[in-house]
Amino acid sequence: LTNSLVAALLASFAALLAVAAPAVSAEQLLEGGHWERAVGALPICVLALVFHNVVPAVARALRGEVRAIQLAVLIGSVVPLLIFILWDGAILGVPVPAAAPAADALVASAEGAAAAAQVVAQSVDALAPLRALSEASPVARVAVSAFSLCAIGTSYLGFVTGQTDVVVDALGMRGVGEQRPAGAYALALLPPLTVALLVPDIFAPALDAAGTFGVTTLYALLPAAIAWQQRYGGVLGGAEASAARVLPGGKAALLAVSAVALFIVGEGALDALGLT
C-alpha cells in the first residue's frame, strides 16, 4: 500500500509541476523575501523532513544490512527534500496579486492604519496560489486532490508504523507472527485522535511546538548524545565501537547536529517567553 501511494504521489506531483511551470516567474523567486523570518520556519522544516521514527522498521525490514539501511535513509531523505524545494518554488514563484486598493487609501491617514492592516490581512489568501493551480485545468484539479491524499496517506502510514513499534517495544506486546497487536494501534492512534477532536485548533501550535522541542530533542539531541557516549564514553569497545559508527563525520558531525538542535530549541524557548 505504501509503495502504491508513493508511486501515485510522485505521478501527481509531476503533473502538478508540469501545470505550474509556465506560471512560475524567476523574478518572483529572486526578488524580495523576508530572510529574517527563516529562523522561525526552522521547526516546521525540521518536522516536515523527520523520518527517524520509521528507521527501526526499515532496519528490521533490511535485516540490519548497514549499507542498505544507509542507502534507504539517504534516498528517503533526498527525495522528500527535492519535492519540498520544487513545490515551494512552484508556489512561491507564482506572482502574488496586488494588495487591495482600499488599503492604500486608508494607509494615507494615521487613523486608518489599523483598518488598512485589516483590509490587507483579509485580502491575502495563503491558499490562493494552490487554488489557482487547481483551477488551471481538469488535470490540475485531479492532480492536486491526488497529491494531497497521497501525501497525507504516506505520512500517516509512516508515523503509524513507527509509533506502533514504539508502543510494542515499550510495553513488550506480542502479536500474531509479524503482525502488530491491535492494542498497539489503539494506544498509538486513540490519544492523538481524542486531542484532535477535543481541541480542533491545536494543529498549527502543535506543529510548531513539536518541531521546536519534541522532534529536535528526540531525533537530534538524544541520538547525538547516545552516539557520543557509545563511541567515546567507553560503553562499546574495539570492534563494537567501530561497527556502531554508521554515521560518518566523527565528533564534528555529532557536535554539528547538537549545535543546530540546541539553536532551534533555544530560539523557540526565547520566543515562547516573549524575549525575541
Side-chain angles (χ1 to χ4, degrees):
L1 177 60
T2 302
N3 291 337
S4 299
L5 285 175
V6 171
L9 183 145
L10 293 176
S12 59
F13 183 70
L16 282 176
L17 289 183
V19 173
V24 173
S25 169
E27 294 182 356
Q28 179 72 18
L29 287 174
L30 298 176
E31 290 182 356
H34 299 276
W35 289 101
E36 70 278 3
R37 300 179 184 176
V39 174
L42 283 177
I44 299 298
C45 295
V46 171
L47 185 63
L49 294 172
V50 70
F51 59 87
H52 307 62
N53 55 320
V54 300
V55 170
V58 172
R60 184 165 51 251
L62 297 177
R63 303 183 184 279
E65 293 289 339
V66 174
R67 293 298 182 187
I69 295 171
Q70 287 177 324
L71 182 62
V73 170
L74 178 62
I75 295 176
S77 303
V78 172
V79 172
L81 177 61
L82 291 176
I83 289 177
F84 274 114
I85 292 174
L86 292 173
W87 179 246
D88 287 342
I91 292 298
L92 298 178
V94 176
V96 179
D104 294 334
L106 288 171
V107 169
S109 59
E111 62 273 10
Q118 183 177 1
V119 171
V120 172
Q122 292 176 347
S123 66
V124 174
D125 184 359
L127 297 178
L130 182 61
R131 190 176 295 110
L133 181 61
S134 65
E135 295 174 354
S137 69
V139 174
R141 187 177 301 110
V142 173
V144 167
S145 299
F147 178 72
S148 302
L149 177 62
C150 294
I152 294 173
T154 52
S155 178
Y156 176 80
L157 290 175
F159 273 91
V160 168
T161 299
Q163 197 59 38
T164 51
D165 279 347
V166 171
V167 172
V168 169
D169 291 341
L171 301 181
M173 304 175 71
R174 294 183 179 180
V176 179
E178 295 185 356
Q179 294 183 350
R180 299 173 181 84
Y185 288 100
L187 290 174
L189 297 176
L190 289 180
L193 175 61
T194 302
V195 172
L197 292 175
L198 294 177
V199 192
D201 296 330
I202 200 174
F203 183 71
L207 283 182
D208 187 53
T212 302
F213 304 108
V215 167
T216 49
T217 301
L218 287 175
Y219 302 133
L221 286 176
L222 287 180
I226 292 171
W228 186 284
Q229 183 65 16
Q230 286 183 333
R231 294 180 183 182
Y232 313 114
V235 176
L236 300 179
E240 286 183 329
S242 298
R245 300 187 183 188
V246 178
L247 176 69
K251 293 182 178 180
L254 297 179
L255 289 173
V257 170
S258 301
V260 172
L262 286 173
F263 174 78
I264 294 175
V265 172
E267 194 278 335
L270 292 175
D271 184 63
L273 294 173
L275 300 178
T276 59

